Amino acid sequence: MLTKAPRFTPESVPSFSPSSIRLFPIHVHVDRNGFVYVNLDAGVVPEISWEQQYGSLDQQDVLKDSGVDWDAVEYDFTWTKEGAFNWKLMQDNYNECYHCLTAHPDVARTTALDTYYVNPAPSHNYISHFSEPKASVLESSAFDSTRFAGRSATHVFPVSHFSPNPGTGFMHMMRSIPTSPTTTRQEYDVYKLNTPNATPEAHERMTKFYRKVVDEDFALCENVQKNLNRGIFGRGPLHPFHEEGVFAFQKMLLPVLADHVQKEKLAGHEIWPARPSNQTYAENGAAGTINGENGTSSICEVLIACNGDKNKDLQW
Protein backbone atom coordinates (compact mmCIF):
# COMPACT_ATOMS: atom_id res chain seq x y z
CA MET A 1 0.00 0.00 0.00
CA LEU A 2 1.17 3.54 -0.76
CA THR A 3 2.46 5.17 2.43
CA LYS A 4 3.03 8.73 1.26
CA ALA A 5 1.84 10.96 -1.60
CA PRO A 6 2.86 14.61 -1.04
CA ARG A 7 0.03 17.14 -1.58
CA PHE A 8 -2.52 14.43 -2.35
CA THR A 9 -4.67 15.62 0.54
CA PRO A 10 -8.36 14.84 1.07
CA GLU A 11 -9.04 18.54 0.43
CA SER A 12 -7.09 18.79 -2.86
CA VAL A 13 -7.93 15.33 -4.27
CA PRO A 14 -11.00 13.98 -2.45
CA SER A 15 -11.22 10.84 -4.63
CA PHE A 16 -7.61 9.77 -4.01
CA SER A 17 -7.18 6.68 -1.80
CA PRO A 18 -3.62 5.54 -0.94
CA SER A 19 -4.95 2.14 0.10
CA SER A 20 -5.90 1.40 -3.52
CA ILE A 21 -2.36 1.92 -4.84
CA ARG A 22 0.17 -0.80 -4.19
CA LEU A 23 3.09 -2.58 -5.78
CA PHE A 24 2.42 -5.61 -7.90
CA PRO A 25 3.24 -8.97 -6.31
CA ILE A 26 6.10 -11.01 -7.77
CA HIS A 27 6.85 -14.69 -7.45
CA VAL A 28 9.88 -15.63 -5.34
CA HIS A 29 11.49 -19.02 -4.69
CA VAL A 30 14.30 -19.72 -2.22
CA ASP A 31 16.11 -22.99 -2.93
CA ARG A 32 17.59 -25.37 -0.36
CA ASN A 33 20.94 -23.52 -0.40
CA GLY A 34 19.48 -20.03 0.06
CA PHE A 35 19.64 -18.80 -3.55
CA VAL A 36 16.71 -16.50 -4.33
CA TYR A 37 14.94 -16.72 -7.69
CA VAL A 38 12.52 -14.00 -8.86
CA ASN A 39 9.85 -14.68 -11.49
CA LEU A 40 8.22 -11.54 -12.91
CA ASP A 41 5.37 -13.44 -14.55
CA ALA A 42 2.39 -11.12 -13.97
CA GLY A 43 -0.06 -14.00 -13.63
CA VAL A 44 -1.44 -15.00 -10.25
CA VAL A 45 0.20 -18.40 -10.81
CA PRO A 46 3.42 -18.49 -12.90
CA GLU A 47 3.07 -20.19 -16.25
CA ILE A 48 6.16 -22.26 -15.41
CA SER A 49 7.01 -23.18 -11.81
CA TRP A 50 10.53 -23.20 -10.41
CA GLU A 51 10.40 -26.99 -10.10
CA GLN A 52 9.36 -27.36 -13.74
CA GLN A 53 12.15 -25.10 -14.94
CA TYR A 54 15.05 -26.12 -12.71
CA GLY A 55 14.19 -29.45 -11.13
CA SER A 56 17.11 -30.65 -9.00
CA LEU A 57 19.43 -27.70 -9.69
CA ASP A 58 19.92 -27.03 -5.97
CA GLN A 59 20.60 -30.70 -5.21
CA GLN A 60 23.58 -31.26 -7.46
CA ASP A 61 26.22 -33.44 -5.80
CA VAL A 62 28.82 -30.72 -6.23
CA LEU A 63 26.67 -28.43 -4.09
CA LYS A 64 25.55 -30.96 -1.48
CA ASP A 65 29.06 -32.39 -1.05
CA SER A 66 31.02 -29.16 -1.41
CA GLY A 67 31.62 -28.66 2.32
CA VAL A 68 30.06 -25.18 2.10
CA ASP A 69 27.84 -24.05 4.94
CA TRP A 70 25.39 -22.07 2.82
CA ASP A 71 24.00 -20.34 5.92
CA ALA A 72 27.46 -18.85 6.56
CA VAL A 73 27.97 -17.35 3.09
CA GLU A 74 28.77 -13.61 3.17
CA TYR A 75 28.07 -11.09 0.42
CA ASP A 76 31.25 -9.15 -0.39
CA PHE A 77 30.68 -6.72 -3.27
CA THR A 78 29.21 -6.25 -6.76
CA TRP A 79 30.85 -4.92 -9.86
CA THR A 80 29.17 -4.10 -13.17
CA LYS A 81 30.48 -3.73 -16.69
CA GLU A 82 28.74 -2.41 -19.80
CA GLY A 83 29.25 -4.50 -22.92
CA ALA A 84 28.63 -3.72 -26.60
CA PHE A 85 27.15 -7.12 -27.42
CA ASN A 86 23.84 -8.99 -27.39
CA TRP A 87 23.24 -10.85 -24.12
CA LYS A 88 23.09 -14.24 -25.86
CA LEU A 89 26.71 -13.93 -26.96
CA MET A 90 27.88 -13.96 -23.34
CA GLN A 91 25.78 -17.06 -22.65
CA ASP A 92 27.33 -18.85 -25.63
CA ASN A 93 30.76 -17.72 -24.46
CA TYR A 94 30.26 -18.87 -20.89
CA ASN A 95 28.94 -22.31 -21.79
CA GLU A 96 32.14 -23.57 -23.36
CA CYS A 97 35.84 -23.46 -22.58
CA TYR A 98 36.90 -24.35 -26.10
CA HIS A 99 38.20 -20.79 -26.41
CA CYS A 100 40.07 -20.87 -23.10
CA LEU A 101 43.31 -22.23 -24.53
CA THR A 102 43.89 -19.13 -26.64
CA ALA A 103 41.74 -16.47 -24.97
CA HIS A 104 42.41 -17.08 -21.26
CA PRO A 105 46.11 -17.73 -20.57
CA ASP A 106 45.61 -17.98 -16.80
CA VAL A 107 42.85 -20.55 -17.21
CA ALA A 108 44.92 -22.52 -19.71
CA ARG A 109 47.89 -22.47 -17.31
CA THR A 110 45.93 -23.88 -14.37
CA THR A 111 43.07 -25.98 -15.76
CA ALA A 112 43.11 -29.35 -17.54
CA LEU A 113 41.08 -28.18 -20.52
CA ASP A 114 41.03 -31.60 -22.21
CA THR A 115 38.93 -32.95 -19.36
CA TYR A 116 36.76 -29.86 -18.85
CA TYR A 117 33.18 -30.88 -19.50
CA VAL A 118 29.59 -29.73 -19.11
CA ASN A 119 26.51 -31.69 -18.15
CA PRO A 120 23.20 -30.20 -19.38
CA ALA A 121 20.36 -31.23 -17.10
CA PRO A 122 17.88 -33.55 -18.81
CA SER A 123 14.49 -31.82 -19.21
CA HIS A 124 15.51 -28.83 -17.07
CA ASN A 125 17.08 -25.45 -17.70
CA TYR A 126 20.57 -25.50 -16.24
CA ILE A 127 24.01 -26.65 -17.35
CA SER A 128 26.62 -27.94 -14.89
CA HIS A 129 30.32 -27.29 -15.56
CA PHE A 130 33.20 -29.32 -14.14
CA SER A 131 36.96 -28.80 -14.25
CA GLU A 132 40.11 -30.07 -12.58
CA PRO A 133 43.62 -28.68 -12.19
CA LYS A 134 46.61 -29.55 -14.28
CA ALA A 135 48.98 -31.93 -12.52
CA SER A 136 51.73 -29.33 -12.81
CA VAL A 137 49.58 -26.85 -10.87
CA LEU A 138 49.41 -29.10 -7.83
CA GLU A 139 53.22 -29.27 -7.81
CA SER A 140 53.64 -25.54 -8.20
CA SER A 141 54.31 -23.19 -5.33
CA ALA A 142 52.01 -20.61 -6.92
CA PHE A 143 48.84 -22.68 -6.50
CA ASP A 144 47.64 -25.44 -4.22
CA SER A 145 45.06 -28.20 -4.38
CA THR A 146 42.52 -26.26 -2.31
CA ARG A 147 42.02 -23.85 -5.19
CA PHE A 148 40.12 -26.54 -7.09
CA ALA A 149 38.55 -28.44 -4.18
CA GLY A 150 34.85 -28.77 -4.98
CA ARG A 151 35.12 -26.28 -7.82
CA SER A 152 32.15 -26.22 -10.15
CA ALA A 153 29.91 -23.81 -12.00
CA THR A 154 26.29 -23.79 -13.11
CA HIS A 155 24.60 -21.90 -15.92
CA VAL A 156 21.08 -20.96 -14.81
CA PHE A 157 18.96 -20.36 -17.91
CA PRO A 158 18.50 -17.85 -19.36
CA VAL A 159 20.94 -15.15 -18.14
CA SER A 160 22.83 -16.25 -15.02
CA HIS A 161 25.54 -18.46 -13.64
CA PHE A 162 27.27 -19.02 -10.34
CA SER A 163 30.74 -20.41 -9.68
CA PRO A 164 31.60 -21.57 -6.15
CA ASN A 165 35.24 -22.31 -5.35
CA PRO A 166 35.04 -23.92 -1.89
CA GLY A 167 38.79 -24.46 -1.72
CA THR A 168 39.47 -20.72 -1.67
CA GLY A 169 36.18 -19.59 -0.18
CA PHE A 170 35.37 -17.54 -3.29
CA MET A 171 32.11 -17.50 -5.26
CA HIS A 172 30.82 -15.17 -7.92
CA MET A 173 27.40 -14.93 -9.50
CA MET A 174 26.88 -13.43 -12.96
CA ARG A 175 23.79 -11.85 -14.51
CA SER A 176 23.43 -10.59 -18.08
CA ILE A 177 20.94 -7.70 -18.26
CA PRO A 178 19.98 -6.79 -21.86
CA THR A 179 19.89 -3.02 -22.35
CA SER A 180 19.33 -3.07 -26.14
CA PRO A 181 19.66 -5.59 -29.00
CA THR A 182 23.42 -4.89 -29.11
CA THR A 183 24.29 -3.91 -25.53
CA THR A 184 24.31 -5.74 -22.21
CA ARG A 185 25.06 -4.81 -18.63
CA GLN A 186 26.97 -7.56 -16.85
CA GLU A 187 26.54 -7.74 -13.07
CA TYR A 188 28.90 -9.77 -10.87
CA ASP A 189 28.15 -10.46 -7.21
CA VAL A 190 31.09 -11.74 -5.15
CA TYR A 191 30.64 -13.83 -2.00
CA LYS A 192 32.82 -15.28 0.75
CA LEU A 193 32.10 -18.95 1.42
CA ASN A 194 34.04 -19.11 4.71
CA THR A 195 35.32 -22.62 4.08
CA PRO A 196 38.22 -24.12 6.14
CA ASN A 197 40.95 -23.20 3.65
CA ALA A 198 39.59 -19.75 2.83
CA THR A 199 41.99 -16.87 3.39
CA PRO A 200 41.83 -13.16 2.54
CA GLU A 201 44.82 -13.67 0.23
CA ALA A 202 43.10 -16.50 -1.68
CA HIS A 203 39.91 -14.46 -2.01
CA GLU A 204 41.80 -11.48 -3.38
CA ARG A 205 43.72 -13.72 -5.79
CA MET A 206 40.51 -15.27 -7.13
CA THR A 207 38.82 -11.86 -7.45
CA LYS A 208 41.73 -10.61 -9.54
CA PHE A 209 41.67 -13.85 -11.59
CA TYR A 210 37.95 -13.57 -12.40
CA ARG A 211 38.12 -9.87 -13.26
CA LYS A 212 40.83 -10.60 -15.81
CA VAL A 213 38.85 -13.49 -17.33
CA VAL A 214 35.77 -11.25 -17.56
CA ASP A 215 37.75 -8.56 -19.40
CA GLU A 216 39.01 -11.17 -21.86
CA ASP A 217 35.48 -12.49 -22.46
CA PHE A 218 34.20 -8.97 -23.08
CA ALA A 219 36.76 -8.47 -25.84
CA LEU A 220 35.63 -11.72 -27.50
CA CYS A 221 31.91 -10.94 -27.29
CA GLU A 222 32.31 -7.36 -28.53
CA ASN A 223 34.30 -8.53 -31.55
CA VAL A 224 31.67 -11.17 -32.36
CA GLN A 225 29.00 -8.45 -32.17
CA LYS A 226 30.99 -6.31 -34.60
CA ASN A 227 30.98 -9.20 -37.09
CA LEU A 228 27.23 -9.66 -36.59
CA ASN A 229 26.65 -5.94 -37.18
CA ARG A 230 28.57 -6.11 -40.45
CA GLY A 231 26.54 -9.06 -41.68
CA ILE A 232 29.58 -11.22 -42.40
CA PHE A 233 29.32 -13.63 -39.50
CA GLY A 234 28.37 -17.13 -40.61
CA ARG A 235 27.09 -20.10 -38.66
CA GLY A 236 29.62 -22.88 -38.20
CA PRO A 237 29.52 -26.41 -36.76
CA LEU A 238 29.63 -26.89 -32.98
CA HIS A 239 32.10 -29.36 -31.51
CA PRO A 240 30.07 -32.25 -30.02
CA PHE A 241 32.14 -32.32 -26.79
CA HIS A 242 33.83 -28.96 -26.30
CA GLU A 243 30.76 -26.94 -27.32
CA GLU A 244 28.05 -29.18 -25.91
CA GLY A 245 27.04 -26.40 -23.52
CA VAL A 246 26.54 -23.91 -26.37
CA PHE A 247 24.30 -26.38 -28.16
CA ALA A 248 22.36 -27.03 -24.94
CA PHE A 249 21.81 -23.30 -24.32
CA GLN A 250 20.61 -22.71 -27.88
CA LYS A 251 18.35 -25.76 -27.63
CA MET A 252 16.78 -24.23 -24.50
CA LEU A 253 16.40 -20.78 -26.03
CA LEU A 254 15.11 -21.32 -29.57
CA PRO A 255 11.86 -23.14 -28.66
CA VAL A 256 11.04 -20.42 -26.11
CA LEU A 257 11.52 -17.66 -28.70
CA ALA A 258 9.62 -19.56 -31.38
CA ASP A 259 6.73 -20.23 -29.00
CA HIS A 260 6.52 -16.57 -28.00
CA VAL A 261 6.57 -15.36 -31.61
CA GLN A 262 3.78 -17.79 -32.44
CA LYS A 263 1.67 -16.57 -29.51
CA GLU A 264 2.11 -12.96 -30.67
CA LYS A 265 1.07 -13.87 -34.21
CA LEU A 266 -2.09 -15.54 -32.93
CA ALA A 267 -2.84 -12.63 -30.58
CA GLY A 268 -2.13 -9.99 -33.21
CA HIS A 269 -0.04 -7.85 -30.87
CA GLU A 270 3.08 -7.94 -28.70
CA ILE A 271 2.89 -9.95 -25.48
CA TRP A 272 4.75 -8.81 -22.37
CA PRO A 273 4.46 -11.56 -19.72
CA ALA A 274 5.65 -9.29 -16.90
CA ARG A 275 3.18 -6.49 -17.71
CA PRO A 276 0.11 -6.68 -15.46
CA SER A 277 -3.19 -7.03 -17.28
CA ASN A 278 -6.36 -5.11 -16.50
CA GLN A 279 -7.49 -8.02 -14.36
CA THR A 280 -4.22 -7.95 -12.42
CA TYR A 281 -4.63 -4.22 -11.79
CA ALA A 282 -8.21 -4.75 -10.66
CA GLU A 283 -7.23 -7.55 -8.31
CA ASN A 284 -4.66 -5.24 -6.73
CA GLY A 285 -7.16 -2.42 -6.38
CA ALA A 286 -5.23 -0.08 -8.69
CA ALA A 287 -6.39 1.71 -11.82
CA GLY A 288 -3.36 1.83 -14.06
CA THR A 289 -4.19 0.50 -17.51
CA ILE A 290 -6.62 1.21 -20.29
CA ASN A 291 -7.84 -1.31 -22.83
CA GLY A 292 -6.70 -0.50 -26.32
CA GLU A 293 -7.28 -2.11 -29.68
CA ASN A 294 -4.22 -4.31 -29.28
CA GLY A 295 -4.46 -5.02 -25.57
CA THR A 296 -3.24 -2.95 -22.65
CA SER A 297 -1.75 0.53 -22.80
CA SER A 298 0.09 2.13 -19.94
CA ILE A 299 -1.02 5.43 -18.40
CA CYS A 300 2.09 7.09 -19.91
CA GLU A 301 1.23 5.86 -23.41
CA VAL A 302 -2.36 7.08 -23.10
CA LEU A 303 -1.34 10.49 -21.78
CA ILE A 304 1.10 10.99 -24.64
CA ALA A 305 -1.58 10.03 -27.16
CA CYS A 306 -4.08 12.46 -25.60
CA ASN A 307 -1.60 15.33 -25.60
CA GLY A 308 -0.85 14.85 -29.29
CA ASP A 309 2.01 17.02 -30.55
CA LYS A 310 2.57 18.65 -27.17
CA ASN A 311 5.00 15.87 -26.22
CA LYS A 312 6.59 15.25 -29.60
CA ASP A 313 10.01 16.35 -28.32
CA LEU A 314 10.06 13.97 -25.35
CA GLN A 315 13.04 11.67 -25.26
CA TRP A 316 12.25 8.18 -23.95
Side-chain angles (χ1 to χ4, degrees):
M1 184 185 351
L2 183 67
T3 59
K4 183 182 294 185
R7 301 186 185 182
F8 273 77
T9 63
E11 294 76 24
S12 63
V13 191
S15 62
F16 181 76
S17 174
S19 63
S20 68
I21 299 177
R22 54 183 70 115
L23 295 175
F24 304 113
I26 60 174
H27 308 285
V28 176
H29 177 86
V30 181
D31 73 15
R32 69 190 299 274
N33 299 316
F35 290 90
V36 179
Y37 300 77
V38 176
N39 184 343
L40 297 179
D41 188 326
V44 176
V45 177
E47 184 176 349
I48 302 175
S49 69
W50 186 91
E51 289 76 14
Q52 288 174 300
Q53 184 162 5
Y54 297 122
S56 58
L57 183 154
D58 59 346
Q59 299 188 54
Q60 298 176 77
D61 288 340
V62 293
L63 297 179
K64 291 194 299 183
D65 304 330
S66 64
V68 173
D69 178 358
W70 295 102
D71 291 330
V73 173
E74 289 182 66
Y75 167 76
D76 192 11
F77 69 96
T78 296
W79 93 85
T80 62
K81 191 173 174 67
E82 303 294 330
F85 51 80
N86 182 278
W87 68 274
K88 295 185 290 296
L89 296 181
M90 183 57 78
Q91 309 312 307
D92 274 354
N93 175 282
Y94 170 73
N95 277 306
E96 49 87 5
C97 209
Y98 195 17
H99 68 279
C100 293
L101 184 62
T102 54
H104 301 306
D106 291 343
V107 175
R109 184 162 57 95
T110 59
T111 305
L113 297 177
D114 289 342
T115 59
Y116 187 110
Y117 73 99
V118 303
N119 185 22
S123 305
H124 291 108
N125 290 22
Y126 68 92
I127 305 170
S128 302
H129 291 232
F130 301 92
S131 62
E132 58 186 358
K134 283 184 174 180
S136 58
V137 169
L138 301 182
E139 301 168 0
S140 169
S141 59
F143 302 99
D144 57 52
S145 60
T146 64
R147 176 169 182 166
F148 285 81
R151 178 179 177 181
S152 65
T154 300
H155 166 78
V156 183
F157 181 83
V159 296
S160 301
H161 87 251
F162 61 92
S163 301
N165 288 265
T168 58
F170 175 93
M171 181 176 74
H172 92 293
M173 186 180 300
M174 180 198 87
R175 291 181 300 277
S176 297
I177 310 298
T179 51
S180 83
T182 57
T183 58
T184 300
R185 181 175 70 254
Q186 291 289 123
E187 300 177 345
Y188 301 90
D189 297 335
V190 175
Y191 296 85
K192 296 179 179 179
L193 300 181
N194 294 313
T195 45
N197 292 306
T199 64
E201 293 76 18
H203 190 81
E204 179 62 28
R205 185 181 71 209
M206 291 303 295
T207 299
K208 184 178 180 180
F209 177 94
Y210 270 93
R211 281 185 179 273
K212 185 172 183 290
V213 170
V214 165
D215 289 343
E216 291 161 352
D217 280 335
F218 262 66
L220 293 175
C221 291
E222 290 186 336
N223 281 326
V224 171
Q225 186 64 54
K226 288 178 181 178
N227 281 334
L228 289 171
N229 293 344
R230 291 164 181 155
I232 61 173
F233 187 80
R235 182 185 304 172
L238 295 175
H239 193 283
F241 175 73
H242 294 292
E243 294 179 299
E244 182 182 4
V246 177
F247 179 72
F249 167 71
Q250 295 180 3
K251 193 175 179 181
M252 292 175 190
L253 180 67
L254 290 175
V256 174
L257 293 179
D259 181 63
H260 189 80
V261 168
Q262 183 61 26
K263 286 180 178 178
E264 290 189 335
K265 285 182 178 179
L266 292 174
H269 59 80
E270 290 186 337
I271 297 174
W272 297 82
R275 178 178 293 174
S277 65
N278 281 353
Q279 182 179 358
T280 305
Y281 273 76
E283 288 170 351
N284 284 281
T289 60
I290 297 176
N291 263 340
E293 183 178 348
N294 291 326
T296 299
S297 300
S298 70
I299 287 291
C300 291
E301 291 167 338
V302 173
L303 288 176
I304 291 170
C306 291
N307 279 301
D309 290 338
K310 292 180 182 179
N311 289 311
K312 64 182 180 181
D313 294 327
L314 286 176
Q315 296 293 322
W316 291 92

